[in-house]
Amino acid sequence: MAFQKGINAWCFPKETSVQEMFRQASAHGYQGVELNLDEGDAPFHLEMTEQELKGLADEAREVGLELPSVSTALLWKYPLTHNEEAIREQGIRVVEKMIEAASIFGSRTVLVVPGLVTAEVSYDTAYERAREALQRLAKKAEQHQVYIGVENVWNKFLLSPLEMARLIDEVDSPWVGAYFDVGNVLQFGFPEQWIRILGKRIQAIHVKDFKTTTGNITGFVPLLAGDIPWNRVVEALREIGYDGYIIPEISPYSQLPEQLIAHSSQALDAIFQT
């Protein structure tokens, strides 16, 4: 199966510089790095200028890497479905900054957590707010020719592939699709079924493994250490004709962290038989 091999910046220890991330990614055979937008003095943050963003892209290119997509954890802090309008609007601004940065980077996709269902935000309310936010953001995405990928996460929301497909279809924009995380569904379903149902809506893929016997957030493990049926995942991806980036999103090793980068590259090659 032909695919492009990327790595998410969260796979590296927090103190790792962007330059060191790029060096390790290039050394271990990756074609791209997915950077994560943050606040404060992070190496990729909300207040960066166009020139500074171009500088990041230039540094990646110097070592032969692309910046294929942009991610963030800020939409957990500023959910697009929050009851407070000011918080929802900050979430919108986060995604708009991601789209602008992606355009400068030459990225294809931005990852968007569509919202959170909570005791205070009902499921139906979250659905309507998420759809409205995505329809609004689709215009920005089209303007910059960048895809929005709605990710399946542990947010008590979009708990089936039929529902995620319905939301994407109701947004009704060619610039809004799915950012499918293989590991995130195993506790609740079967990744190969999600892949087939979402089909061509899938714009990008995250991978991690998961041990179902653990059954909680600590069950996420490195590739090939869990229960993901990788042969069925690969078969489903072949069926839908996916040939984009496959990007591990795994917590770094506490010791010898570069070994995770090396092991993940080797595991991707073995799983997808490149």
Side-chain angles (χ1 to χ4, degrees):
M1 173 184 167
F3 76 105
Q4 294 166 285
K5 185 163 58 175
I7 188 83
N8 182 278
W10 284 321
C11 294
F12 300 85
K14 189 174 182 180
E15 64 274 12
T16 308
S17 68
V18 169
Q19 294 77 17
E20 178 62 13
M21 282 184 205
F22 292 165
R23 184 198 69 76
Q24 290 185 27
S26 179
H28 292 290
Y30 294 93
Q31 294 158 281
V33 173
E34 180 176 78
L35 296 178
N36 304 304
L37 183 67
D38 206 344
E39 295 177 303
D41 59 355
F44 173 36
H45 61 83
L46 283 167
E47 306 306 322
M48 290 185 80
T49 64
E50 181 177 346
Q51 184 176 358
E52 289 171 327
L53 293 169
K54 284 180 178 177
L56 286 177
D58 288 343
E59 289 185 277
R61 280 192 290 268
E62 284 174 8
V63 291
L65 295 172
E66 296 181 321
L67 301 178
S69 47
V70 174
S71 179
T72 189
L74 292 176
L75 293 176
W76 294 90
K77 183 177 181 180
Y78 307 114
L80 299 174
T81 53
H82 200 277
N83 280 336
E84 293 184 29
E85 183 179 1
I87 291 178
R88 297 200 303 272
E89 286 299 314
Q90 180 62 13
I92 292 286
R93 285 192 287 274
V94 167
V95 180
E96 289 177 339
K97 182 67 173 185
M98 293 170 74
I99 291 170
E100 291 166 4
S103 178
I104 293 167
F105 291 162
S107 307
R108 173 184 169 85
T109 310
V110 299
L111 183 155
V112 172
V113 173
L116 315 177
V117 173
T118 68
E120 294 75 32
V121 178
S122 68
Y123 206 113
D124 54 342
T125 297
Y127 190 95
E128 294 302 320
R129 288 176 179 168
R131 182 175 59 190
E132 291 170 4
L134 290 168
Q135 286 173 331
R136 178 176 164 187
L137 289 163
K139 298 172 184 176
K140 181 85 168 181
E142 180 176 12
Q143 177 187 349
H144 288 274
Q145 302 286 284
V146 171
Y147 290 95
I148 291 172
V150 178
E151 193 186 29
N152 54 295
V153 295
W154 285 21
N155 55 351
K156 302 184 186 299
F157 184 42
L158 303 182
L159 297 177
S160 85
L162 294 173
E163 187 183 346
M164 177 173 273
R166 174 188 163 191
L167 175 64
I168 290 168
D169 291 349
E170 288 178 355
V171 172
D172 193 25
S173 168
W175 296 99
V176 177
Y179 198 129
F180 181 63
D181 189 303
V182 171
N184 281 350
V185 304
L186 196 63
Q187 181 70 353
F188 317 106
F190 301 91
E192 69 274 19
Q193 295 178 13
W194 280 69
I195 291 166
R196 290 190 175 97
I197 290 168
L198 291 174
K200 294 296 186 181
R201 300 176 186 86
I202 295 176
Q203 300 295 338
I205 297 282
H206 266 171
V207 288
K208 58 175 77 76
D209 222 318
F210 185 76
K211 293 187 71 66
T212 54
T213 51
T214 304
N216 57 42
I217 197 75
T218 62
F220 290 112
V221 292
L223 301 177
L224 300 175
D227 301 312
I228 297 291
W230 290 110
N231 58 331
R232 299 206 297 269
V233 167
V234 172
E235 182 181 5
L237 288 171
R238 282 201 184 104
E239 284 182 21
I240 69 167
Y242 183 79
D243 61 359
Y245 268 87
I246 307 283
I247 299 180
E249 183 198 35
I250 304 165
S251 296
Y253 289 164
S254 59
Q255 300 181 59
L256 302 176
E258 189 170 347
Q259 290 305 304
L260 173 68
I261 312 307
H263 293 164
S264 296
S265 180
Q266 294 162 7
L268 287 173
D269 289 345
I271 291 165
F272 297 98
Q273 299 178 7
T274 58

